[in-house]
Amino acid sequence: MEIEYMTFDNTYHKLPDRFYKEVTAERFSKPELLAFNENLSDDLGLNLGSQSDIELANFFSGQTLLKGSHPIALPYAGHQFGHFVPQLGDGRAMLLGEIVNPDSKRFDIQLKGSGQTFFSRNGDGKSAIGPVIREYILSEAMYHLGVPTTRALAAVATGDLVYREETVPGAVFTRIASSHIRIGTFQYFAAKDDLDGLKTLLDYSIQRHYPESGTNPAISFLQKVIQAQVSLVSNWMSLGFIHGVMNTDNMSISGETIDYGPCAFMDQFNAHQVYSFIDRDGRYSYMNQGPILQWNLSRLADCLIPLAHSDKKKAIEMLNSELATISDLFRNEWIERMKRKLGLVSGQAHENDEKLITSWLDYLEKEELDFTLSFRKLENLLVDNDNPSDSSFKQTTEFDTFKTAWTNRLKDQDLELAIVKEKMNGVNPIYIPRNHQVERAIQQAIVGDLSVFNEMNQVLKNPYVYQPNLDFYRVTPLPEEEVTTTFCGT
Ligand code: AMP
Ligand code: MG
């Protein structure tokens, strides 16, 4: 049965055969709608408002094929924790198709957990409900925090069980992305020495994401991806976010956050924080995200060598000079974001700004303070420049030194305190999806109660605004509630 509720305009499917494999969704016992993101659906221009929950559950578990949809699974490769795997690919995901929204932006609609594909290897192609609930909450929270990200359109329970460490309810997640092209997609074709494939992928990626490209497409493409990913990772870090599995297959060339696995927003600040159970060496710790970003982009540059110049040596030189810009770009962008969080908004650079930021973070780390709430509480110090009230912070020598330097720096910029406060409150959230609450949402969803899931989605729609009736979600976990380890759970 084919139904026309959205107009697909598929372009990836028109690429050569080796770019994808056709796929059919598994038949599920009793698909039931857990969530449908109506606002997003409307923004995308989908005509789904009048559909019943049953129809939506059938669409978003792949049971009803939408008209114009040609489900495909995409191959990609990737470095997983530094080790190259030449073929990964969508092992539990299928791309339903692409749609163009009323603003002429193109998006992929993809199901995750819809069954086995050509790329499933030994996996069952399915998702447990936990990771689905998790990705729904986190990706929507990320969006409302203002960070580029894939989004959650729907979550459907399949009515079947999946087997992980234990038996858990299965579910399917519907993800919206500006594309699913990863660094690993380039690596896939490069590893096969498929120069035509690489060239086709580069042309396609430029056309889809960075159409205003310079005279050397490979070089200007690398520049654009560098800019997008530097901006993304510095943005994550300004919010205390740890992706947890920054493998090259989990880094989108669009610069969107993708693949919410063992990721987490930090509670108390620790520069070396790691949550992921599998990240034993701390490769993807909070602090390491900058250096890893650079490493990943170098792997993209490796793939672009044959496309940058016919003389290999020259190509490497050109690509290297782009890679050499990353650490300064990243450092500057990070400083800019942290400055804004501290209310330093006037634009002019100050040689001591980095020292000021570092001294504040050192204080948070030493006193084991909550990253998110500490930034937000800083505004309490801004009652009166000459007589700051600082009762909400523990008074230590480090704090005093920071406070004096900070208040002097604020005086220098000669802006009204009310304006400074307003700007700070626009970049320092009150609410983040805290691990212990995400865990609670998952545990309840497993037993059929979606109240925490729904409340969290509600409160996280306005992370910068105080919400008295949902304020429960603001606070740090009690010691016994604290989540110290996260799992991929796939
Ligand atoms: P991830 O760690 O989520 O980035 O996934 C890494 C690779 O494992 C990707 O190729 C996934 O498609 C694949 N994968 C993860 N879970 C499953 C599963 N349940 N069945 C099949 N493939 C999977
Ligand atoms: Mg992945």
Side-chain angles (χ1 to χ4, degrees), residues 76 182 249-250 259:
Y76 50 82
R182 306 144 191 271
D249 54 306
N250 291 336
D259 281 5

Side-chain angles (χ1 to χ4, degrees), residues 76 80 88-92 120-121 123-126 164 249-250 259 490:
Y76 50 82
Q80 298 190 304
L88 291 162
D90 292 333
R92 57 171 155 169
S120 295
R121 294 172 292 169
D124 60 3
K126 296 183 187 158
R164 297 295 179 254
D249 54 306
N250 291 336
D259 281 5
T490 56

